[in-house]
Amino acid sequence: MHVPYRGGGPATQDAVAGHVPLFMSNVVVIKQHIRAGTLRPVGVTTRGESRHVEGVKSFAQQGAGDFEAPTWWALLGRAGTPQPIVDKMYDALAKALADPVVRQKIEEQGADVTASTPDACARFLQSEIAKWGKVIRDNNIQADS
C-alpha cells in the first residue's frame, strides 16, 4: 500500500518509530539512522552496491531484474533562461563541486558528486522522463487525488 508523506523527514520518523514496516528513502536522509542501527537497509536502488551503504546488495543483485533508481539532484532554471546565465551558473556550480572540502562534505552525507554539463543534464532528464513515463503507462499508475 502506498502511503504518501510530505517529505523524507516525516516518513523517516514514522519508520524509526515503527509505524511503517518498510519505506524507501535516499541515503542522505537516513544515513545517520543506518549508522545508529535504528534503520536497517534491505537494498539499494543503484545498479550495484553503494559505498555509502556497505554490505548491502542492490535490488538488481537480489533478483529485481535491471531495476535501477538512484537518487539524483539537478540545478534547474526557468525555461528560457538566457544561455549566458546558464553558463555562469554552471561554471559556479562546477567550481564549487570541484572544491575538495565541498566534495568531502557532500560525500560524507552519503552522496556521490557527479557534475555534468547543462546539455548532458538535459539528456539525462529526458531519459529519466522516458524511462519512468513508460513505467507509469505500462502499469496504469494514477496520481492519488
Side-chain angles (χ1 to χ4, degrees), residues 20 23 33 80 106 109-110 117 122 126 142:
V20 292
F23 85 117
H33 296 290
I106 292 169
Q109 293 179 44
T117 65
Q126 288 305 313
Q142 303 290 318

PDB file of all heavy atoms in Angstrom, residues 20 23 33 80 106 109-110 117 122 126 142:
ATOM      1  N   VAL A  20       5.576   2.355  10.318  1.00  0.00           N
ATOM      2  CA  VAL A  20       5.533   1.754   8.984  1.00  0.00           C
ATOM      3  C   VAL A  20       6.634   0.689   8.937  1.00  0.00           C
ATOM      4  O   VAL A  20       7.723   0.884   9.471  1.00  0.00           O
ATOM      5  CB  VAL A  20       5.730   2.796   7.852  1.00  0.00           C
ATOM      6  CG1 VAL A  20       4.552   3.741   7.770  1.00  0.00           C
ATOM      7  CG2 VAL A  20       7.017   3.574   8.005  1.00  0.00           C
ATOM      8  N   PHE A  23      10.047   1.440   4.079  1.00  0.00           N
ATOM      9  CA  PHE A  23       9.926   2.636   3.259  1.00  0.00           C
ATOM     10  C   PHE A  23      11.193   2.831   2.464  1.00  0.00           C
ATOM     11  O   PHE A  23      12.224   2.221   2.748  1.00  0.00           O
ATOM     12  CB  PHE A  23       9.568   3.865   4.107  1.00  0.00           C
ATOM     13  CG  PHE A  23      10.740   4.572   4.741  1.00  0.00           C
ATOM     14  CD1 PHE A  23      11.041   5.883   4.393  1.00  0.00           C
ATOM     15  CD2 PHE A  23      11.543   3.962   5.693  1.00  0.00           C
ATOM     16  CE1 PHE A  23      12.100   6.551   4.978  1.00  0.00           C
ATOM     17  CE2 PHE A  23      12.598   4.615   6.285  1.00  0.00           C
ATOM     18  CZ  PHE A  23      12.892   5.923   5.923  1.00  0.00           C
ATOM     19  N   HIS A  33      20.618   7.218  10.674  1.00  0.00           N
ATOM     20  CA  HIS A  33      19.822   6.156  11.301  1.00  0.00           C
ATOM     21  C   HIS A  33      20.390   4.774  10.990  1.00  0.00           C
ATOM     22  O   HIS A  33      20.294   3.858  11.808  1.00  0.00           O
ATOM     23  CB  HIS A  33      18.364   6.251  10.860  1.00  0.00           C
ATOM     24  CG  HIS A  33      17.710   7.521  11.314  1.00  0.00           C
ATOM     25  ND1 HIS A  33      17.409   7.768  12.630  1.00  0.00           N
ATOM     26  CD2 HIS A  33      17.340   8.634  10.626  1.00  0.00           C
ATOM     27  CE1 HIS A  33      16.864   8.972  12.735  1.00  0.00           C
ATOM     28  NE2 HIS A  33      16.821   9.509  11.535  1.00  0.00           N
ATOM     29  N   GLY A  80      13.783  29.054 -20.797  1.00  0.00           N
ATOM     30  CA  GLY A  80      14.078  30.290 -21.492  1.00  0.00           C
ATOM     31  C   GLY A  80      15.152  31.136 -20.833  1.00  0.00           C
ATOM     32  O   GLY A  80      15.405  32.261 -21.269  1.00  0.00           O
ATOM     33  N   ILE A 106      29.722  16.704   0.919  1.00  0.00           N
ATOM     34  CA  ILE A 106      28.612  16.049   0.215  1.00  0.00           C
ATOM     35  C   ILE A 106      28.734  14.535   0.343  1.00  0.00           C
ATOM     36  O   ILE A 106      27.766  13.842   0.645  1.00  0.00           O
ATOM     37  CB  ILE A 106      28.569  16.492  -1.258  1.00  0.00           C
ATOM     38  CG1 ILE A 106      28.171  17.977  -1.346  1.00  0.00           C
ATOM     39  CG2 ILE A 106      27.598  15.631  -2.064  1.00  0.00           C
ATOM     40  CD1 ILE A 106      28.343  18.587  -2.724  1.00  0.00           C
ATOM     41  N   GLN A 109      27.813  12.855   3.602  1.00  0.00           N
ATOM     42  CA  GLN A 109      26.376  12.745   3.826  1.00  0.00           C
ATOM     43  C   GLN A 109      25.754  11.566   3.088  1.00  0.00           C
ATOM     44  O   GLN A 109      24.586  11.261   3.277  1.00  0.00           O
ATOM     45  CB  GLN A 109      25.687  14.038   3.412  1.00  0.00           C
ATOM     46  CG  GLN A 109      26.064  15.208   4.295  1.00  0.00           C
ATOM     47  CD  GLN A 109      25.395  16.485   3.850  1.00  0.00           C
ATOM     48  OE1 GLN A 109      24.210  16.492   3.530  1.00  0.00           O
ATOM     49  NE2 GLN A 109      26.145  17.564   3.816  1.00  0.00           N
ATOM     50  N   GLY A 110      26.547  10.915   2.213  1.00  0.00           N
ATOM     51  CA  GLY A 110      26.034   9.728   1.538  1.00  0.00           C
ATOM     52  C   GLY A 110      25.734   9.925   0.070  1.00  0.00           C
ATOM     53  O   GLY A 110      25.027   9.116  -0.528  1.00  0.00           O
ATOM     54  N   THR A 117      27.501  18.684 -17.639  1.00  0.00           N
ATOM     55  CA  THR A 117      27.184  19.926 -18.349  1.00  0.00           C
ATOM     56  C   THR A 117      25.673  20.106 -18.438  1.00  0.00           C
ATOM     57  O   THR A 117      24.920  19.129 -18.279  1.00  0.00           O
ATOM     58  CB  THR A 117      27.768  19.898 -19.768  1.00  0.00           C
ATOM     59  OG1 THR A 117      27.092  18.860 -20.501  1.00  0.00           O
ATOM     60  CG2 THR A 117      29.269  19.653 -19.757  1.00  0.00           C
ATOM     61  N   ALA A 122      20.375  17.757 -19.462  1.00  0.00           N
ATOM     62  CA  ALA A 122      19.116  17.757 -20.227  1.00  0.00           C
ATOM     63  C   ALA A 122      18.871  16.381 -20.847  1.00  0.00           C
ATOM     64  O   ALA A 122      17.737  15.868 -20.808  1.00  0.00           O
ATOM     65  CB  ALA A 122      19.149  18.835 -21.299  1.00  0.00           C
ATOM     66  N   GLN A 126      15.733  13.848 -19.946  1.00  0.00           N
ATOM     67  CA  GLN A 126      14.861  13.279 -20.982  1.00  0.00           C
ATOM     68  C   GLN A 126      14.821  11.754 -20.890  1.00  0.00           C
ATOM     69  O   GLN A 126      13.756  11.153 -21.040  1.00  0.00           O
ATOM     70  CB  GLN A 126      15.312  13.731 -22.374  1.00  0.00           C
ATOM     71  CG  GLN A 126      15.014  15.184 -22.662  1.00  0.00           C
ATOM     72  CD  GLN A 126      13.538  15.528 -22.482  1.00  0.00           C
ATOM     73  OE1 GLN A 126      12.649  14.816 -22.953  1.00  0.00           O
ATOM     74  NE2 GLN A 126      13.266  16.621 -21.777  1.00  0.00           N
ATOM     75  N   GLN A 142      -1.784   5.904 -11.506  1.00  0.00           N
ATOM     76  CA  GLN A 142      -2.545   7.150 -11.408  1.00  0.00           C
ATOM     77  C   GLN A 142      -2.126   7.897 -10.139  1.00  0.00           C
ATOM     78  O   GLN A 142      -1.865   7.268  -9.113  1.00  0.00           O
ATOM     79  CB  GLN A 142      -4.056   6.871 -11.338  1.00  0.00           C
ATOM     80  CG  GLN A 142      -4.601   6.068 -12.503  1.00  0.00           C
ATOM     81  CD  GLN A 142      -4.607   6.877 -13.783  1.00  0.00           C
ATOM     82  OE1 GLN A 142      -4.951   8.052 -13.791  1.00  0.00           O
ATOM     83  NE2 GLN A 142      -4.209   6.236 -14.880  1.00  0.00           N
TER      84      GLN A 142
END
